[in-house]
Amino acid sequence: MSSLALALTLASGPARADAGASGAGPIRIGVNEPLTGPFAASGTYVVNGAKIAADEINAQGGVLGRKIELVIEDNKSNPTEAAAVAEKLITSDKTPVMMGAWGSSLTLAVMPKLADYETPMLVETSSSGKITTTGNPYVFRISPPSALEAEAFAPMVGKIGLKKVDFIVINNDWGRGAAADFTKMLKDKGVAVGLVETMDQGAQDMSAQLSKLKGSDADTIMITAAVDQLTLLFKQMSALGLKKRIITTGGSQNPDQIIAQAGGAADGTLHLTTFLPWYPDRTPNPKATTYFIEEWKKRGFQFAGVTESFRGYDGIRTIAQAIAKAGSTEAAQIKAAFWAVDFTGLNGQIRFAKSGPAGRESGQSKPDVYLIRIESGRVVMPEL
């Protein structure tokens, strides 16, 4: 039995008074994700992964002897809407804990609400460093901040022979933060950094930026953007005859979707990712990975979605363990119990280390980070 299943099983005995008596309703968990707008595909993947976790937990008896219920709201890929959704989930829907909010700008917009209402949130995707360094003790993140991703990539830099790197990134907290964190790491490793080009998240034509990058003497371009823009970039690079090493950051990007959309334009590109569904035996928990992939396919979803949906799956399992360890559905007790969470997720051990100003630390878990390459329309792991 896994440590997560064991924790939930042990907690499903007699519940404490604040957890509700026998016959009490389900434990509500707020889910704040982009289901419309530019990030809708990714948010939907995360939500579907979360539903698999909820169904699995409920089939095993739930938590504290009660079922869990996901209260899912659409933040419309908009920071203002994300903050409003968080307030609704807390005040109207009475959820004592949430998961969200996919994009860094969305999560940063939600964070003041967490402090105002003293409600914890599990951050499943966002990678801006500010999320865990600004001093919000209600934030617990299982995805890697860009600084951690850069740290994991550092040992690979010499092996793949980087000399000079340019960047093109989405012009938001996620993209700008990634460029800053990777720039620091690369310079520490003796790699030169040249241009840092930005693009709006809805931009369709990046030819001006790409022309500058083509004329640069850098050997590598690092990109931080969502899948649809990556697809456009690869196609436009191909049309311009821009032939340089390409490495994407972000950890949750979807190589299978890129292959389907970009075709041969994606061949040779390298991608940092935090999950290896193409090689289940190389993941930290092969049995859980296999179960998740099989369940995903059983529900009729495309395999391509698992590289993001696993975050929702692990996110809800993490929240469930925090509730179980708290023995309570009170927000303050769940917040405190996040520090005791410890189990093997699909991309590594989920346990939280303190990050941020003393006395107001956020929790940051440290997932595994892998480098994969697209070759002839399939995902391979390069030998380093």
Side-chain angles (χ1 to χ4, degrees):
M1 179 178 288
S2 70
S3 58
L4 175 63
L6 178 60
L8 300 183
T9 299
L10 292 175
S12 64
R16 297 182 186 179
D18 60 5
S22 178
I27 299 171
R28 310 189 94 197
I29 298 171
V31 178
N32 184 343
E33 295 289 334
L35 303 179
T36 57
F39 307 138
S42 295
T44 301
Y45 286 143
V46 170
V47 165
N48 286 334
K51 289 177 178 177
I52 291 176
D55 290 347
E56 181 184 13
I57 291 163
N58 286 337
Q60 295 170 352
V63 185
L64 304 178
R66 296 163 63 182
K67 303 289 188 181
I68 62 172
E69 176 189 346
L70 304 184
V71 184
I72 300 164
E73 291 286 344
D74 176 17
N75 64 38
K76 302 177 183 176
S77 304
N78 180 282
T80 301
E81 192 70 24
V85 162
E87 188 162 37
K88 175 186 179 296
L89 286 169
I90 297 167
T91 61
S92 298
D93 297 312
K94 307 298 182 184
T95 61
V97 60
M98 293 184 290
M99 182 179 76
W102 196 79
S104 293
S105 295
L106 305 174
T107 297
L108 287 163
V110 166
M111 285 168 55
K113 300 296 183 183
L114 307 180
D116 288 347
Y117 293 103
E118 300 181 340
T119 300
M121 184 168 83
L122 187 288
V123 177
E124 87 297 332
T125 301
S126 309
S127 62
S128 170
K130 290 190 290 185
I131 290 168
T132 47
T133 59
T134 54
N136 191 316
Y138 298 93
V139 167
F140 296 85
R141 176 163 56 179
I142 59 172
S143 57
S146 49
L148 196 157
E149 191 180 12
E151 176 188 322
F153 180 54
M156 309 177 202
V157 167
K159 295 177 180 178
I160 60 177
L162 300 188
K163 302 298 182 186
K164 185 174 181 179
V165 176
D166 288 336
F167 289 85
I168 180 166
V169 301
I170 191 169
N171 190 18
N172 62 13
D173 294 293
W174 174 36
R176 294 189 302 270
D181 288 329
F182 277 87
T183 291
K184 181 180 184 303
M185 180 277 290
L186 290 168
K187 288 183 174 179
D188 288 346
K189 298 289 288 184
V191 177
V193 174
L195 301 173
V196 179
E197 295 291 319
T198 62
M199 55 191 170
D200 293 336
Q201 70 182 33
Q204 299 290 303
D205 181 6
M206 280 71 74
S207 56
Q209 296 97 319
L210 293 178
S211 293
K212 292 181 186 178
L213 295 171
K214 183 179 180 181
S216 163
D217 62 349
D219 56 82
T220 299
I221 301 171
M222 297 197 75
I223 308 174
T224 304
V227 171
D228 287 345
Q229 273 189 314
L230 287 176
T231 298
L232 289 171
L233 282 166
F234 294 157
K235 288 181 176 180
Q236 290 171 23
M237 286 175 174
S238 179
L240 280 171
L242 199 166
K243 300 182 184 300
K244 297 188 180 187
R245 180 192 290 117
I246 303 298
I247 303 172
T248 76
T249 82
S252 67
Q253 298 315 316
N254 192 323
D256 295 285
Q257 189 177 340
I258 292 168
I259 291 167
Q261 294 180 358
D267 274 356
T269 57
L270 295 159
H271 306 265
L272 291 169
T273 183
T274 53
F275 186 36
L276 282 179
W278 314 277
Y279 302 97
D281 290 345
R282 297 196 192 186
T283 64
N285 191 341
K287 183 177 179 181
T289 297
T290 300
Y291 166 79
F292 177 69
I293 292 172
E294 288 177 351
E295 186 63 28
W296 182 259
K297 291 179 178 178
K298 192 183 301 181
R299 296 182 183 217
F301 301 135
Q302 293 182 340
F303 176 81
V306 298
T307 51
E308 293 200 76
S309 60
F310 86 93
R311 294 185 182 280
Y313 179 71
D314 271 354
I316 296 302
R317 296 198 303 157
T318 302
I319 290 172
Q321 188 174 105
I323 295 170
K325 287 184 175 293
S328 169
T329 58
E330 295 296 323
Q333 299 301 316
I334 296 169
K335 169 182 171 285
F338 268 115
W339 295 109
V341 166
D342 190 354
F343 74 98
T344 304
L346 297 189
N347 68 339
Q349 203 67 17
I350 295 179
R351 64 168 72 96
F352 296 104
K354 292 183 177 181
S355 174
R360 294 186 290 119
E361 297 97 339
S362 300
Q364 176 65 60
S365 188
K366 188 175 182 179
D368 294 341
V369 177
Y370 310 94
L371 183 69
I372 62 94
R373 181 168 61 222
I374 294 175
E375 281 187 6
S376 302
R378 64 189 188 93
V379 172
V380 301
M381 292 191 72
E383 295 296 329
L384 298 179

